[in-house]
Amino acid sequence: MMRKFIGVCLLIVTTIFFIGCGNAPSKTETNAGKTIVNKDVILATTTSTQDSGLLDILIPAFEKKTGYKIKTIAVGTGQALAMGEKGEADVLLVHAPAAEKKVVDSGAAIHRILVMHNDFIIVGPTNDMAQTKGKSAKDALTGIGNKEAVFISRGDDSGTDKMEKSLWKLVGIKPSGAWYQEAGSGMGQTLKIADEKQGYTLSDRATYLAQKKNLSLQILVEGDATLLNIYHVMEVNPEKFSKVNNAGAKAFSEFLLSSEGQGLIAGFGKEKFGQPLFFADGGKTEKDFGL
Amino acid sequence: MDMIVKGLIQGLQLLLSGDSEVLEVAILTIRVSGIATAISVLIGIPIGLWLALKDFYGKQAVNSIVNFGMGFPPVVVGLVVSLFLWRYGPLGELSLMYTPLAMVIAQAIIATPIVIGLSFAAIVSLNPKLRWQLISLGATRWQASWLLIKEARLGLMAAVIAGFGRVISEVGASMMVGGNIKGQTRVLTTATVMEVGKGNYDLALAISMILLLIAYSIVVMLTYLQHKGKSD
């Protein structure tokens, strides 16, 4: 009886194992005459590209065209860059120029190319106790700091967080105290917390527009040149990390900069939000933005 | 309140309309959690049985470790499994990171101590003389163990239900080792977190409703199995 029981157990385990492995990535697949050796490409990116819905447009188009399969890991820019530095991702789409340069300088990533931009905005409660409306980003933050108005920081080392920290440095304020609160979460969640606490926060425009229906926060500061939010794509260096899928990374990078990719980016959001969420910048460099 | 009602309705609509994306996510959720639970049962019940029947030096220490494991934080499991499965980790060659199998591994690790602990308790709570009686009546050790399992069926099924409940509701480890990849490793819990991030609270609620519905249906099924045969 027991032997039968063990037999049944073994049978279950083997079946389960095969079901479990059922959709393990196949390593070789032929597509349109050319052989793609490894079709899984790990894209490490920021939550804003996923939460805004942009990737839902770009990735299916890319996959259909090339036969690669993108595995999107949407984390903060800090974590995405860290994945690149460890060779755990193949391609990075992030928005923290200073931190990106460090990763390129270290040799972990190559071919850093500008893809698109949108802009950061400062949002806050309707009563705007620190009187920031229409001011420059610098004056607005100085006002918030001096008034000690509630400010919710992402606090997650993302691109937005890095931008915010650099702005505080720019105005010479070391934010601390009860008014400065670190959420430690993505942009969507941070906006919600700021809304609940009637505080200010720095957001990318795309996430704010996508979230607007749930928020009472208003856009108070926008259009300031210091608030540009620039996205670069980078390939993880295959010479440093032999296991990265560089062919796939290259294909994705090329797709983003192709006329099809740029067109998808430029058109995204127009219908739903009445304005584009991202501006396609293929061929431009940071110098074009005066950076 | 309005939102909660709307979420409920939307959840039902999504399920009934057979939205392929939601369906895919739901099926993967059942598969991953089901396989993880099955593995934890196959490993956990024999160990629980062995712990209950065998006396050895340091048994208390082993029991305390099992009890500790029952409440082990899933995020820690997720982190440790990631460290092993990273491309450049010790098991990187298997390229399991961001696959459903990686999620199965993490979830099985989370559920196994629960199954061990509860099946241990189920067997121990039987009359200790029962086993000796069975053996004196001519049962072999294996036969005696099998009869004990049958006798403790209620408690053992509770162990299975608890293990399953833990893994299907788990999000931290699944997010870390699975990555919430659309069409590949997105399960109901990670999809909920993502929709909250996107500000789609109604959709998040709808997905949660589907999760609750599935979890409840499976628990009902297991409960039925648990009590079936009581009349035998």
Side-chain angles (χ1 to χ4, degrees):
Chain A
M1 176 130 194
M2 200 59 203
R3 209 165 283 161
K4 209 164 133 194
F5 174 68
I6 294 172
V8 170
C9 285
L10 279 176
L11 196 72
I12 295 172
V13 175
T14 3
T15 322
I16 282 166
F17 195 73
F18 279 106
I19 303 169
C21 297
N23 58 350
S26 56
K27 286 284 171 222
T28 314
E29 186 151 302
T30 332
N31 179 280
K34 63 180 175 187
T35 305
I36 293 171
V37 179
N38 180 2
K39 60 177 192 136
D40 280 328
V41 183
I42 298 180
L43 164 68
T45 184
T46 146
T47 48
S48 57
T49 53
Q50 181 174 64
D51 288 356
S52 64
L54 177 66
L55 292 180
D56 294 332
I57 306 286
L58 285 175
I59 287 172
F62 169 73
E63 288 180 343
K64 207 174 151 204
K65 193 172 174 187
T66 61
Y68 283 108
K69 201 107 192 102
I70 290 278
K71 292 189 166 210
T72 310
I73 311 298
V75 285
T77 288
Q79 197 183 333
L81 288 172
M83 283 176 71
E85 280 177 313
K86 285 189 294 166
E88 298 294 348
D90 301 313
V91 59
L92 314 174
L93 178 63
V94 288
H95 62 129
E100 290 163 16
K101 274 177 202 146
K102 272 188 207 147
V103 177
V104 174
D105 289 342
S106 77
I110 51 171
H111 296 146
R112 175 170 169 267
I113 309 167
L114 212 160
V115 175
M116 60 188 183
H117 80 270
N118 63 1
D119 59 342
F120 288 111
I121 50 180
I122 295 174
V123 297
T126 349
N127 68 14
D128 191 19
M129 67 170 287
Q131 286 161 354
T132 59
K133 195 166 177 72
K135 292 203 176 132
S136 72
K138 269 172 128 177
D139 289 348
L141 281 192
T142 312
I144 293 167
N146 289 342
K147 271 258 163 66
E148 305 212 333
V150 173
F151 187 95
I152 312 294
S153 166
R154 288 273 297 263
D156 64 349
D157 202 31
S158 61
T160 310
D161 192 45
K162 286 177 199 281
M163 177 59 143
E164 178 219 308
K165 299 268 161 24
S166 76
L167 284 173
W168 287 114
K169 214 179 241 171
L170 202 69
V171 298
I173 294 176
K174 246 200 154 79
S176 63
W179 63 276
Y180 185 77
Q181 304 176 9
E182 294 195 289
S185 47
M187 194 69 249
Q189 193 76 357
T190 304
L191 279 165
K192 195 70 193 156
I193 294 170
D195 194 42
E196 293 292 329
K197 299 200 171 190
Q198 287 295 294
Y200 294 87
T201 192
L202 179 80
S203 172
D204 61 290
R205 188 183 293 269
T207 312
Y208 172 76
L209 286 175
Q211 287 268 355
K212 208 174 159 199
K213 59 178 190 284
N214 303 308
L215 303 171
S216 66
L217 300 172
Q218 307 293 319
I219 298 181
L220 298 167
V221 179
E222 61 184 327
D224 189 327
T226 51
L227 293 179
L228 278 181
N229 182 20
I230 297 174
Y231 290 79
H232 286 88
V233 67
M234 289 179 279
E235 295 159 31
V236 177
N237 191 351
E239 277 168 27
K240 192 163 178 185
F241 303 103
S242 55
K243 289 181 191 168
V244 301
N245 180 0
N246 186 246
K250 213 178 212 119
F252 185 67
S253 171
E254 277 163 9
F255 175 77
L256 288 182
L257 292 152
S258 70
S259 57
E260 186 185 353
Q262 292 281 303
L264 287 173
I265 292 169
F268 174 68
K270 268 187 191 156
E271 217 169 279
K272 195 168 171 195
F273 303 105
Q275 53 176 300
L277 298 191
F278 295 94
F279 298 90
D281 292 324
K284 288 190 191 164
T285 65
E286 281 173 77
K287 285 197 187 97
D288 293 316
F289 298 104
L291 295 166
Chain B
M1 191 62 214
D2 196 33
M3 200 180 232
I4 294 173
V5 175
K6 257 171 47 192
L8 244 171
I9 296 168
Q10 202 184 343
L12 277 174
Q13 276 172 348
L14 273 174
L15 207 60
L16 292 176
S17 68
D19 182 285
S20 67
E21 200 179 320
V22 170
L23 214 62
E24 198 183 347
V25 171
I27 289 169
L28 184 71
T29 307
I30 297 171
R31 242 177 60 184
V32 165
S33 301
I35 295 169
T37 310
I39 292 173
S40 69
V41 166
L42 291 176
I43 299 172
I45 288 186
I47 296 180
L49 190 70
W50 178 73
L51 271 181
L53 299 180
K54 193 98 177 164
D55 274 315
F56 57 90
Y57 181 73
K59 187 171 166 178
Q60 287 292 339
V62 173
N63 279 343
S64 69
I65 290 172
V66 169
N67 287 337
F68 174 57
M70 287 172 77
F72 209 66
V75 280
V76 177
V77 174
L79 178 64
V80 173
V81 172
S82 315
L83 291 177
F84 273 90
L85 297 186
W86 283 122
R87 269 179 188 162
Y88 293 93
L91 302 176
E93 289 301 325
L94 303 172
S95 53
L96 288 179
M97 196 65 184
Y98 306 128
T99 62
L101 201 52
M103 298 164 83
V104 169
I105 293 170
Q107 293 195 350
I109 292 172
I110 292 165
T112 302
I114 297 173
V115 178
I116 296 176
L118 293 182
S119 50
F120 168 78
I123 302 281
V124 159
S125 64
L126 295 176
N127 187 339
K129 287 179 189 148
L130 183 61
R131 183 162 179 256
W132 298 118
Q133 198 178 0
L134 290 169
I135 289 176
S136 69
L137 286 172
T140 66
R141 275 166 182 275
W142 287 109
Q143 281 170 334
S145 296
W146 180 240
L147 288 167
L148 284 176
I149 286 178
K150 281 181 93 170
E151 196 55 32
R153 195 181 58 247
L154 272 178
L156 292 177
M157 262 335 247
V160 177
I161 294 171
F164 176 76
R166 180 80 186 274
V167 294
I168 200 170
S169 57
E170 186 280 328
V171 61
S174 299
M175 196 70 137
M176 262 190 244
V177 304
N180 185 38
I181 300 164
K182 191 176 176 178
Q184 297 179 48
T185 57
R186 185 165 295 167
V187 289
L188 291 164
T189 49
T190 60
T192 305
V193 171
M194 186 192 64
E195 292 304 339
V196 167
K198 287 182 173 180
N200 299 331
Y201 294 92
D202 42 359
L203 187 54
L205 196 59
I207 296 170
S208 305
M209 292 298 167
I210 296 173
L211 176 62
L212 292 180
L213 209 66
I214 290 174
Y216 182 65
S217 317
I218 291 175
V219 168
V220 165
M221 211 176 72
L222 292 175
T223 311
Y224 171 76
L225 282 177
Q226 185 180 38
H227 292 276
K228 199 188 85 169
K230 233 166 119 189
S231 50
D232 283 4

